[in-house]
């Protein structure tokens, strides 16, 4: 970017933001040039730290005036390059907009700013006997979680991020501020903008306030670990549990490689076999009956060890081990980068898909393992690769592609919860067919200059930042 | 419409449809000129009965060629004029596309054509131990229910129509056929077209195939009727039940006027007091504990009579009485037309809103009563009016407006489940503010000639049919 132009833009931003809310510092730009994925770093030209929706709107107007791309940034925990500014431009960091604005106990709603993280929210909610259900593992910001339609371990019972969104305050490309919903639990009024903006990956607007649904902390919680002779047995047990109508709250597959990695990292001593980590929420009597029924089912599928975690400490240890799995792999393979596949299939196709993924991991000789939110039909293969070894990188990419194509051929999606970002764009046409043109029309209608997080989600010709 | 032009259009349609799939018969047109609402009849110029998506696409192309509006039609059970062809044109009746195409037990999915009704589907599903949850009372077509994002008595537990939509085959304005989703239980791929097209009221495209989520019939079901001294007590009991985290499956308010009407029509002898009709689904032990807890709560709110319906016959009688309430009113006021309000508010505002509605019913001297899906914060005032009495009509409209404005001022929506249609357009700007322009942009991007159900949902300048 030509320095005089940058200085002009800087000056334009100064009219709306304080000096310490604008940075062109190299280190700051580097912190905003990458995420937790394997995608290459690209630097923004300027990073801004707004405190209000009005300031975000002002940044949008500057972006428009100078035809400079804008990329919203939470904490950079994306696994698909969402926050990497492919064409430079202005990155909007929401870390100063990190307040829980209101807890409305009676309506089971909270109003938050986008920079609030999920553990920060849950700490606040605990005082009210409430909790926020969506749990992607990483301590992401809620703005980022809405942007990617995140989900995680509890979605099998409580739904994904989109199911929790009651209203979003959004700043559009032209600086207009809209609300996408209301406080009502349901509505048939107008078009469903809550759903459209959730998962839009910063390509349609920036969130500045969000009203989200929360739940009462369950009366009783029981967690369990069930180990099986094979991944196939474990997955089939899950299908039977769902078929039986047991309202399971969490059911995670962790294959033997991943249990081993967890034991190494989290200092646990879990049986190193394909395992289901489960959790049940409910009233005391109902939960007891659910758990007994589950016990019968897993035994029918050859369960070799069933261990219950009834106290909070044991339960927390279990879920921490699960959540730290990605870090356990990264820690176990120093110098390597992680690629995570993220397909989601109809549950009837899950056992086949997981088997296919394991066969391919083995055939390609890639180090890694499989974990998954199997109650939703969503699983991840975590592959460790040396980015300096082109053969390993090519193999990892080949693996990812095989997994995606297998899923798409069977009614699945290329991404269950991580989002499209940079990594899944090449599969969009294959997955959506003629519907992709509808998405592109919507994008063009709302962001005609293609300034909002270009190159992400919807493929459109982006304005390049002035070199 | 000039007859030569009509003949030309008829001829163009004949190239794609058989003669008996096209009608210009006056009686047929009249049957497609009204719904169950108080809105005035307008006739379509032609009615077509396609059998395939390809035929629907051909109709769309004829519509475009002659710039003639197209209105999709299910069974005409709309309460807001959705299917009334305000500018004439072609009505597409989906009654020949009424097949349940596939029941996929393992994935809890069904694939249906849009003309299938919900009782038809449930009859088919029963063979598999499954059921379709959404229950708006009327035996509507599933296509119509997706188009208005219908809901009803069970949404408090199972969600609204939008929550059940996994994929839609949609014919767009230009005849392109798209799929809006996949078979996967969740996805973060692309923009959320499932959500956008659900509730779009025929303004963005016509559905030709729908994949919907179904559930296993619950192991145990208990229904109950609880009578209270006042509507306020009943509503406050509901808030307490929700606060307690009891996973209630249905909770319907029926005020004393409506219990009286139900007793007259359904030959029941329920206590004529403000009553909650409830239902609980679950395993035996859990349900028992839920019901005991509910019992404690309603007693704490002054419950005067609590009657359980444990056998199927009693339970069916209860829900039939509830579902027939609209007909009970119509039957009770021969010659009058029904207007139904449909606001939905945050639950904390519900008692106030119902009280406000009752006060206004009384003040305006309108005959009617109040019922509602109170677990969602959604209630209906059913008002009977003589369409030939301009004073009564004006009063009913004034009442509807007061109810809507009260809800909008408190974070609610003008329509919880009936949709915008003709009746709620005037409140769209008030409810959505600047977001309305976003909806209009989406409409224009997908239907630039404004041929798809013009004058409904999104306000746009419609092409008038050639007079």
């Amino acid at each position: 970017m030509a320095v005089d132009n940058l200085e002009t833009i800087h000056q334009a931003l100064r009219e709306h933001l304080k000096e310490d809310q604008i940075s062109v510092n190299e280190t700051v730009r580097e912190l905003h040039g990458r995420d937790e994925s394997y995608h290459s770093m690209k630097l923004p030209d300027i990073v801004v730290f707004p405190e209000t929706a009005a300031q975000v709107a002002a940044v949008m107007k500057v972006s428009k005036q100078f035809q400079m791309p804008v990329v919203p940034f939470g904490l950079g925990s994306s696994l698909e390059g969402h926050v990497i500014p492919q064409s430079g431009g202005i990155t909007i960091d929401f870390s100063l907009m990190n307040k829980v604005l209101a807890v409305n106990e009676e309506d089971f709603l909270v109003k938050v700013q986008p920079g609030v993280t999920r553990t920060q929210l849950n700490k606040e909610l605990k005082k009210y006997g409430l909790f926020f259900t969506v749990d992607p593992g990483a301590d992401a910001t809620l703005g980022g979680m809405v942007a990617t339609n995140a989900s995680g371990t509890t979605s099998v019972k409580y739904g994904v991020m989109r199911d929790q969104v009651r209203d979003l305050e959004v700043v559009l490309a032209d600086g207009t501020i809209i609300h996408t919903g209301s406080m009502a639990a349901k509505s048939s009024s107008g078009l469903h903008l809550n759903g459209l903006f959730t998962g839009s990956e910063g390509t349609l607007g920036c969130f500045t306030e969000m009203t989200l649904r929360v739940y009462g902390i369950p009366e009783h919680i029981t967690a369990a670990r069930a180990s099986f002779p094979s991944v196939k047995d474990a997955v089939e047990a899950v299908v039977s549990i769902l078929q039986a109508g047991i309202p399971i709250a969490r059911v995670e597959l962790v294959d033997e490689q991943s249990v081993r990695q967890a034991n190494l990292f989290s200092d646990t001593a879990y049986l190193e076999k394909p395992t289901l980590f489960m959790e049940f929420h409910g009233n005391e009597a109902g939960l007891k009956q659910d758990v007994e029924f589950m016990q019968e089912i897993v035994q029918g599928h050859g369960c070799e060890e069933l261990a219950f975690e009834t106290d909070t400490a044991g339960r927390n240890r279990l879920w921490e081990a699960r959540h730290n799995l990605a870090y356990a792999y990264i820690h176990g393979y120093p110098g390597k980068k992680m690629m995570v596949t993220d397909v989601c299939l109809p549950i009837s196709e899950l056992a086949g898909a997981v088997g296919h993924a394991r066969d391919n991991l083995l055939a390609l000789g890639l180090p890694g393992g499989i974990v998954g939110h199997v109650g939703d039909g969503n699983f991840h293969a975590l592959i460790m690769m040396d980015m300096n070894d082109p053969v390993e990188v090519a193999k990892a990419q080949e693996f990812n592609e095989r997994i995606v194509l297998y899923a798409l051929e069977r009614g699945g999606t290329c991404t269950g919860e991580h989002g499209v970002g940079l990594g899944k764009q090449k599969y969009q046409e294959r997955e959506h067919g003629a519907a992709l043109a509808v998405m592109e029309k919507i994008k063009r209608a709302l962001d005609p200059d293609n300034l909002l997080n270009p190159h992400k989600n919807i493929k459109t010709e982006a304005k390049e930042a002035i070199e």
Side-chain angles (χ1 to χ4, degrees), chain A:
Chain A
M1 170 176 280
V3 174
D4 355 334
N5 201 348
L6 184 62
E7 188 40 51
T8 316
I9 293 164
H10 202 142
Q11 192 50 45
L13 289 168
R14 268 193 210 102
E15 284 173 32
H16 308 281
L17 288 91
K18 285 171 288 177
E19 190 57 49
D20 63 0
Q21 291 182 282
I22 312 168
S23 179
V24 290
N25 174 288
E26 179 107 9
T27 312
V28 172
R29 288 163 59 212
E30 277 177 12
L31 283 170
H32 294 84
R34 59 182 173 229
D35 58 13
E36 290 186 12
S37 76
Y38 61 93
H39 297 289
S40 313
M41 183 156 83
K42 294 266 172 105
L43 298 196
D45 295 298
I46 310 182
V47 182
V48 294
F49 301 83
E51 290 179 328
T52 63
Q55 286 187 334
V56 175
V59 173
M60 292 293 207
K61 283 174 188 157
V62 171
S63 145
K64 194 172 169 62
Q65 187 188 342
F66 294 94
Q67 291 290 298
M68 198 172 194
V70 158
V71 178
F73 187 99
L75 266 173
S77 56
S78 163
L79 292 170
E80 285 297 2
H82 291 92
V83 298
I84 300 175
Q86 287 301 96
S87 315
I90 307 169
T91 284
I92 305 183
D93 179 310
F94 283 95
S95 56
L96 298 182
M97 294 178 73
N98 66 343
K99 280 165 216 65
V100 177
L101 299 171
V103 178
N104 177 341
E105 293 173 76
E106 203 171 7
D107 294 317
F108 292 92
L109 293 176
V110 288
K111 193 181 276 189
V112 297
Q113 289 185 315
V116 171
T117 70
R118 83 181 165 85
T119 57
Q120 180 193 347
L121 176 59
N122 271 324
K123 203 174 150 190
E124 182 65 23
L125 288 175
K126 207 175 172 185
K127 301 176 197 164
Y128 301 86
L130 299 169
F131 81 117
F132 184 68
T133 58
V134 183
D135 161 33
D139 189 22
T141 62
L142 294 163
M145 288 168 67
V146 173
T148 51
N149 188 30
S151 48
T153 62
T154 58
S155 299
V156 65
K157 185 176 173 78
Y158 298 97
V160 301
M161 204 65 200
R162 188 175 280 123
D163 299 309
Q164 322 307 328
V165 172
R166 197 59 70 81
D167 181 42
L168 301 171
E169 183 183 81
V170 183
V171 180
L172 301 175
D174 64 1
T176 310
I177 298 174
I178 65 163
H179 279 262
T180 58
S182 71
M183 299 299 107
K186 63 179 196 185
S187 175
S188 289
S189 183
L191 296 176
H192 189 50
L193 299 187
N194 276 343
L196 184 70
F197 280 85
T198 303
S200 63
E201 304 188 355
T203 65
L204 302 182
C206 284
F207 313 141
T208 46
E209 213 174 276
M210 311 187 296
T211 302
L212 305 172
R213 185 180 182 181
V214 295
Y215 284 78
I217 293 173
E219 197 187 334
H220 288 267
I221 303 177
T222 295
R225 247 184 319 114
S227 310
F228 295 84
S230 73
V231 164
K232 191 160 178 279
D233 293 313
V235 172
E236 286 173 357
V238 174
V239 173
S240 299
I241 289 168
L242 297 174
Q243 285 288 332
I246 299 174
I248 198 162
R250 287 170 151 167
V251 55
E252 295 289 301
L253 171 71
V254 186
D255 74 353
E256 62 270 41
Q257 288 83 351
S258 303
V259 178
R260 189 169 315 134
Q261 219 62 46
N263 282 340
L264 283 171
F265 185 80
S266 295
D267 206 23
T268 45
Y270 300 149
L271 187 64
E272 292 179 1
K273 288 269 187 175
T275 302
L276 295 177
F277 289 12
M278 293 180 276
E279 198 167 272
F280 300 85
H281 298 173
N283 69 34
E284 195 171 3
L287 196 143
K288 192 165 166 282
Q289 196 170 330
D290 285 342
V291 168
E292 281 166 9
F293 197 2
M294 173 278 287
Q295 204 155 348
E296 263 178 55
I297 290 171
V298 298
Q299 274 153 5
H301 287 278
C303 174
E304 295 179 351
E305 186 183 281
L306 179 62
F308 287 97
E309 308 282 1
T310 43
D311 65 333
T312 312
R315 224 169 53 224
N316 287 348
R317 207 164 39 239
L318 184 76
W319 293 115
E320 239 168 71
R322 168 67 190 90
H323 285 146
N324 286 331
L325 252 176
Y327 302 112
Y329 271 104
I330 291 166
H331 188 82
Y333 294 87
K336 294 202 175 201
K337 282 267 190 183
M338 194 171 62
M339 181 189 268
V340 191
T341 73
D342 181 38
V343 294
C344 185
L345 300 98
I347 201 87
S348 61
E349 298 286 356
L350 186 63
V354 172
H356 167 266
R358 287 174 59 87
D359 292 347
N360 277 279
L361 258 187
L362 213 65
L364 291 165
L366 287 164
I370 290 172
V371 297
H373 314 305
V374 280
D376 303 317
N378 181 211
F379 73 93
H380 308 303
L382 296 86
I383 317 154
M384 301 311 301
M385 58 184 178
D386 179 352
M387 295 303 285
N388 297 318
D389 178 351
V391 176
E392 200 164 275
V393 172
K395 273 187 189 174
Q397 272 161 347
E398 168 67 17
F399 174 78
N400 203 338
E401 180 139 327
R402 287 187 197 172
I403 301 301
V404 169
L405 296 183
Y406 183 99
L408 293 185
E409 280 159 16
R410 286 158 183 84
T413 175
C414 67
T415 170
E417 54 180 18
H418 295 168
V420 175
L422 294 169
K424 296 290 162 54
Q425 282 223 351
K426 56 185 162 192
Y427 306 118
Q428 291 299 289
E429 195 169 342
R430 184 94 175 219
E431 177 164 343
H432 301 295
L436 195 57
V438 172
M439 298 179 195
E440 287 165 352
K441 279 181 187 172
I442 294 170
K443 165 71 174 173
R444 271 200 299 276
L446 301 188
D447 179 21
D449 297 332
N450 193 25
L451 294 170
L452 300 182
N453 210 3
H455 302 288
K456 312 294 165 54
N457 199 340
I458 311 307
K459 204 162 189 163
T460 37
E461 290 310 305
K463 304 267 170 194
E464 295 301 317
I466 318 111
E467 293 294 333

